[in-house]
Amino acid sequence: AQKVTQAQTEISVVEKEDVTLDCVYETRDTTYYLFWYKQPPSGELVFLIRRNSFDEQNEISGRYSWNFQKSTSSFNFTITASQVVDSAVYFCALRGSQGNLIFGKGTKLSVKP
Amino acid sequence: DTGVSQNPRHKITKRGQNVTFRCDPISEHNRLYWYRQTLGQGPEFLTYFQNEAQLEKSRLLSDRFSAERPKGSFSTLEIQRTEQGDSAMYLCASSLASDIGPNEQFFGPGTRLTVL
């Protein structure tokens, strides 16, 4: 079975704090793809990153970084020096066998000024 | 605007009525997906098209649901005899399938359905 677990339902931080959003996935596929999406209060899902199972190199994009560890089936997302505009629901997703995305339940991040 | 668009953005209907939603994908994208999202949950896959062919349907897609993509461009999702449990946000996404691996799906703003 394929599954994505985001154990943190809600996180609240103060601006400029670093925050890490956890994602654990389950799949029996040897080749798979993982994604992170952001859903701001406006509701539209915004693509952040795609990572395939062959590439375990961590990635950094500005204040965002992702830590992919196959050994623990985790694909965690860190925001450095958080800002109020980072407030949103963040979803981790796994590409399913049908080409669809299998989403976790999301983590709601609130960044307070 | 060259993103994915969906209409209407909001729909309120009475139980038992039929509703139809439309999705216009990014023009060069050959894959189109429908998802449903309820409060506090992640989106759940309903069905997808490659060009005009409907290739997969989730078991969530009961026989009251039907989707079409007649010319491989826009798609419609119809729900017949709506029930209160159908109340949700219906999301459309599109992507460009390639041989080198899946590309990211781009999502529309969604249609929020409320069944009274």
Side-chain angles (χ1 to χ4, degrees), chain A residues 26-97:
Chain A
E26 294 176 32
T27 181
R28 293 180 182 173
D29 294 343
T30 52
T31 301
Y32 52 90
Y33 297 83
L34 296 161
F35 301 78
W36 274 94
Y37 281 83
K38 174 182 180 179
Q39 190 172 41
S42 60
E44 194 159 336
L45 281 157
V46 177
F47 166 78
L48 294 178
I49 191 171
R50 177 188 68 219
R51 175 50 49 88
N52 70 55
S53 53
F54 292 104
D55 183 2
E56 290 195 66
Q57 192 171 10
N58 292 331
E59 182 156 340
I60 298 175
S61 175
R63 295 185 298 107
Y64 295 171
S65 61
W66 290 269
N67 183 356
F68 176 37
Q69 292 198 346
K70 287 177 76 170
S71 60
T72 55
S73 297
S74 65
F75 186 41
N76 297 338
F77 172 33
T78 297
I79 302 174
T80 303
S82 59
Q83 299 176 1
V84 173
V85 293
D86 296 327
S87 296
V89 181
Y90 290 86
F91 291 97
C92 180
L94 171 68
R95 182 177 183 264
S97 55

Side-chain angles (χ1 to χ4, degrees), chain B residues 64-77:
Chain B
R64 295 185 297 104
F65 288 68
S66 62
E68 294 182 344
R69 194 182 183 197
K71 297 183 180 178
S73 56
F74 73 91
S75 174
T76 57
L77 177 68

Side-chain angles (χ1 to χ4, degrees), chain B residues 87-99:
Chain B
S87 295
M89 176 77 86
Y90 289 84
L91 296 167
C92 175
S94 70
S95 71
L96 184 63
S98 73
D99 293 333

Side-chain angles (χ1 to χ4, degrees), chain B residues 50-74:
Chain B
Q50 177 140 333
N51 300 312
E52 65 274 10
Q54 188 173 16
L55 296 187
E56 291 293 342
K57 288 194 256 188
S58 160
R59 63 174 185 266
L60 291 176
L61 210 68
S62 76
D63 56 6
R64 295 185 297 104
F65 288 68
S66 62
E68 294 182 344
R69 194 182 183 197
K71 297 183 180 178
S73 56
F74 73 91

